[in-house]
Every structure is written in C-alpha cells, then in structure tokens.
Amino acid sequence: MDKKAYRERMRRKKRQMMIRRYTRLAAYAAALVLVCVFVVRGIIIPIAHWVGGKEPGETVPVQAQTAEADPDAAIRQPLKGQGDLSKASEMTAGWHEDENGRWYQNADGTYFSSGLQDIDGVTYCFDDNGYIQTGWVTKGVKDLYFNDDGSYNPEMKRKMIALTYDDGPGEYTQTLLDCLEENNAHATFFMVGPNVQAYPDAPKRMLELGCELGNHTWDHYQLTTLTLDAAVKEVTDTDDALIEACGQASTVVRAPYGDYNQSIIDAVGKPFFMWSLDSLDWQYKDADLDYNEIMNGDLSDGTIILMHDIHEPSVQASLRIIPELVAQGYKLVTVSELAAAKGVTLQNASYTDFWDSTLASGSVAGYEGNTTEDTSGEDGTSEDGISDGSDSESDDYSDGTDDYSDGEDSYSDGSDGSGEDSYSDGEDGYSDSSDSESYSDGG
Ligand code: NI
C-alpha cells in the first residue's frame, strides 16, 4: 500500500468519524427539543393555567347554542369582541352599534347570530356576525322583509312566480341559463329525453344554478293513449338520460299536451305540473308577442308560467321578462320551491298554480292549510307569521291581495278537493294540437 492510498483511507475514516459525531449531536439536540416540549406543555402550561384559574386544556367556549325546532332561529354566540377585554368589560346587555351595524348583547354576555330572534316582541334577523339585517332576507324558501331598524315587516311579501320551460333543452337553453344566473333566478325545465342526450351540459348547469329538472317524457306522446307500463317507461327513459347527463333524475313531471290521469300519476310516482299562464310562445314564435302575453297576463303570487326554451323567440322574450319580473320585486323560483314556500308538500297529484285563492279552495294536494280547521286564532307573535308555511289562511286573507277575492269566486265551485279540478282547468286553457306543433318544430 503506497502513501497515497493510505492517506486516502485515513481521510475517509476521518470523514466517517465526523459524520458519526454530527449524527450523535443531532440526536442529542432532538432529544433536548422533545424534553423542552414535554416540560412546557406538560408542566409549565398547566401551572400557568392553574395560576390563571383555568383548567388545563380548556379552549374558548364557543358553545353555539343549538337551534331548537326552527332552523331559522338565531343562535347565541359568546361575547362579541371577546379578544378586546377592556372593550368587552364596558359592554352592557342590550343593543350596541359599531361601524358594521347594530347587534344585541344578552345579559349572559352572549349575542345573537345567524337567524331570527324576538326581542321585546319584535322579530329581528341576525347575520352570521351577529349584526341585524335589513331589506329582503332569504330564509329557507321564503324572503322576509326587515325594516331599516331591523324589525320584521310581515306586510311585505315577495311575490313568487315559477317559470317553466318545456320540450328542451335546445340550442338556446344556455343563453337562457346565463340570464337566470345573472338575475339570481330559478326555473323548472321539463325536458324530453332525446334533447337531454343532445344537450347533456344543459341539465348539469341547471342543477348548478339551482334550477329544477322536470320530465316531459321521451317521445312526447299523449300518455293516456299508452298502456300504463308504456307511459311509465316514457318517463323513466328520460330520467335515465338525465342521470346519464347530470347524475340526477327529474323531481317533477309535465305530461305532453297536459294529458294525463291519476292512474298515470300514481304509476309514475312524481308530482305532475300544469301551468296557469300560457305564454302561447309555441304559437307566436315572436319575442314581442311572447313578452306581452306574459307581462299582461295574471302574474299573481303563485303563478306558473309555461314557455318553451327550444324556440329562439321564447328565449329572447325571457331575456327581457326575467330581469323585469325581478325588478318588479318577484322572486323567480322552481315549482318545488314555490310549493314549499306556500306550505305545500308535493304529492303524487297535479298542480296548476299556488295562488292564495287556489290554496284557500282546498283543492291543492298536500297543502297544510287543508287539514287546519281554523288558523284565525292569531296570538300576535311574529314568530307564527314567519315560521315556514304556517302562515296559511289567516295571513293570506288579511294581506288582502287584489286577486284574492276574484280568485275565490272562480274557484268556489272547485272545492271538491280532487286534483281533477286543476287538471280540467289546465286542459281547457290549452290547445293540444298546437303543442304538438311546438314540439315537432323543436324536435
Ligand atoms: Ni311539450
């Protein structure tokens, strides 16, 4: 072994020893850190807590009080401004105001947030940060109005309308969806299977926008001319196409030509929807005429409008109608949202509109007011006026909408409570052969 090789070997050995030494040092350092952590967490912090009068491991008690039965009810949050102790100590129970708005502190130091709360007989709505809200506030399926001082105003009722579009989707549907999105509006689309297959992105986007998927069968046949099994297959085939396109089946059905019977509804097992205002767009094919037909029509709270998104003029008319209705204060909702807002639990039945007069007639299946003997016993608490659907008859009467008394007369004979009434209404107001035209044009 020559000198060079020997030196090389020594150098390697030295390096090895150095590495070993550093490794050992690193291990010591790591052990020291662990010991420090243990001492601080296990001994010093508990002692500090004990000295400070707190239990070890205690965190800030964010015990957001669970709302009881009413999901819209406010919850109690721990004291506002908890971090700022000097400020908090000066705060007293009652109303407070800062640069963000007004909020209410309870005697126990909590404050209300995220819901409705009665204070001194007045209902307020608190946002997630505990400040009172004013103007229109959406609670569940309803919009409630709060005055500038934050008090709930039961006189203000946002009228609701359900726009429905049949026979699509089509090449103009995305334009319509753009408009709905811009206006924060919802609609219901009664679609035929082949068009779902042709435009699978449309139902996907409808769901994203909060629109409702409706089923308008596969072949657009008159269902009453088919066997029950064939009628059901018409619906399930389109549901399969919807599931394929967007992962969800339809929730509601519209029978082609408004032609159905109770056996078909029962066999299909979904709510069927007619309409109370026909735009006649399938006949006009003219955006101005479509527009006039709707804007001059009966736009009472609870109206269901029929249009067809396979026609370009219908979509062009909608681009004007939607923002205008919103500007007029309407809330544009799906048929199921409309039903829920009116206190109707949808059944396997047919629905034509959710006007106060129709609800009062007792002919709407699943309307909670149907089973109530007398809801006129007003106890004066605003709670009742708000809670989802329970402001049924008494409120609807007292709010004295113009169309109510008219509507009552026209519905007074339809009080036998069956779904057949709404059916015959819809059928009469509809010229069946023309829808066939409308469909074949689009198909
Ligand atoms: Ni149709």
Side-chain angles (χ1 to χ4, degrees):
M1 193 184 294
D2 63 0
K3 231 177 184 177
K4 204 174 167 193
Y6 174 75
R7 217 179 289 146
E8 177 61 28
R9 209 171 121 194
M10 287 306 288
R11 204 184 298 145
R12 224 180 287 155
K13 195 162 187 183
K14 219 186 241 173
R15 202 185 302 144
Q16 270 176 358
M17 281 174 68
M18 211 151 67
I19 289 170
R20 224 173 281 160
R21 196 184 311 149
Y22 283 131
T23 311
R24 208 177 305 142
L25 270 174
Y28 284 144
L32 194 67
V33 168
L34 281 174
V35 168
C36 286
V37 167
F38 173 77
V39 167
V40 169
R41 293 199 55 174
I43 298 171
I44 295 181
I45 287 182
I47 287 174
H49 273 120
W50 181 72
V51 168
K54 276 171 139 189
E55 287 297 315
E58 187 189 43
T59 50
V60 184
V62 187
Q63 8 97 289
Q65 192 190 50
T66 47
E68 293 114 47
D70 187 357
D72 291 335
I75 54 179
R76 279 170 185 253
Q77 299 285 8
L79 178 61
K80 194 172 194 70
Q82 197 165 18
D84 190 347
L85 284 178
S86 62
K87 191 178 166 197
S89 64
E90 292 167 13
M91 286 177 179
T92 51
W95 287 104
H96 293 274
E97 189 158 8
D98 62 24
E99 65 277 11
N100 297 314
R102 292 175 75 208
W103 55 280
Y104 190 87
Q105 187 185 321
N106 296 293
D108 64 359
T110 59
Y111 68 95
F112 295 118
S113 81
S114 313
L116 304 169
Q117 179 63 44
D118 277 10
I119 296 170
D120 299 331
V122 179
T123 303
Y124 297 90
C125 188
F126 293 88
D127 68 15
D128 290 345
N129 293 314
Y131 295 105
I132 56 165
Q133 295 178 275
T134 57
W136 288 107
V137 176
T138 300
K139 280 287 157 200
V141 287
K142 277 192 175 181
D143 282 8
L144 308 178
Y145 190 84
F146 296 86
N147 298 318
D148 287 345
D149 64 358
S151 58
Y152 170 57
N153 185 343
E155 301 297 311
M156 296 279 283
K157 292 195 173 182
R158 180 163 278 190
K159 293 202 257 183
M160 291 187 175
I161 279 183
L163 288 168
T164 67
Y165 294 90
D166 286 12
D167 299 350
E171 56 184 305
Y172 315 108
T173 304
Q174 291 289 350
T175 309
L176 175 57
L177 291 172
D178 289 342
C179 180
L180 289 167
E181 183 173 22
E182 280 161 22
N183 289 280
N184 199 21
H186 297 165
T188 307
F189 292 84
F190 292 99
M191 296 172 273
V192 289
N195 285 348
V196 170
Q197 285 189 329
Y199 299 94
D201 288 343
K204 224 177 289 170
R205 183 149 178 239
M206 288 167 193
L207 285 180
E208 286 165 13
L209 300 184
C211 291
E212 185 162 18
L213 306 182
N215 194 316
H216 199 44
T217 76
W218 188 272
D219 292 304
H220 207 270
Y221 291 146
Q222 273 184 269
L223 293 180
T224 54
T225 64
L226 306 176
T227 65
L228 265 188
D229 284 349
V232 169
K233 188 173 187 301
E234 280 287 320
V235 173
T236 51
D237 282 355
T238 293
D239 271 346
D240 288 345
L242 282 169
I243 291 167
E244 174 93 17
C246 67
Q248 281 191 31
S250 65
T251 43
V252 289
V253 174
R254 174 167 287 152
Y257 318 109
D259 178 45
Y260 63 90
N261 56 42
Q262 189 59 44
S263 309
I264 293 172
I265 296 179
D266 290 337
V268 167
K270 296 186 200 235
F272 275 48
F273 278 86
M274 300 292 283
W275 54 89
S276 59
L277 177 54
D278 187 349
S279 63
L280 301 175
D281 62 336
W282 44 269
Q283 194 179 356
Y284 293 143
K285 308 266 182 61
D286 181 294
D288 286 336
L289 293 178
D290 296 350
Y291 172 89
N292 289 333
E293 194 70 31
I294 288 178
M295 298 311 280
N296 297 326
D298 186 345
L299 294 171
S300 302
D301 183 23
T303 289
I304 299 176
I305 296 176
L306 169 66
M307 295 190 85
H308 298 79
D309 56 323
I310 47 165
H311 303 310
E312 189 174 17
S314 305
V315 171
Q316 290 304 322
S318 296
L319 300 188
R320 292 168 61 194
I321 290 163
I322 290 166
E324 276 190 40
L325 289 177
V326 169
Q328 286 184 21
Y330 284 98
K331 187 177 171 80
L332 301 180
V333 294
T334 68
V335 289
S336 289
E337 287 170 334
L338 184 57
K342 296 298 177 185
V344 175
T345 305
L346 289 173
Q347 316 283 314
N348 293 340
S350 178
Y351 298 89
T352 299
D353 63 64
F354 294 99
W355 294 338
D356 288 346
S357 53
T358 313
L359 296 171
S361 76
S363 64
V364 178
Y367 175 52
E368 62 187 13
N370 288 351
T371 52
T372 312
E373 285 296 318
D374 181 17
T375 55
S376 64
E378 291 183 35
D379 54 18
T381 63
S382 38
E383 273 280 316
D384 281 6
I386 288 172
S387 64
D388 48 78
S390 68
D391 57 332
S392 52
E393 293 171 18
S394 57
D395 274 13
D396 294 339
Y397 283 108
S398 62
D399 101 87
T401 49
D402 304 337
D403 48 281
Y404 176 68
S405 52
D406 301 20
E408 190 187 34
D409 295 337
S410 63
Y411 268 85
S412 56
D413 59 338
S415 57
D416 66 20
S418 73
E420 307 299 315
D421 284 326
S422 48
Y423 168 60
S424 57
D425 284 349
E427 192 184 40
D428 292 346
Y430 199 65
S431 142
D432 45 352
S433 58
S434 310
D435 186 50
S436 152
E437 260 174 52
S438 146
Y439 176 66
S440 57
D441 285 349

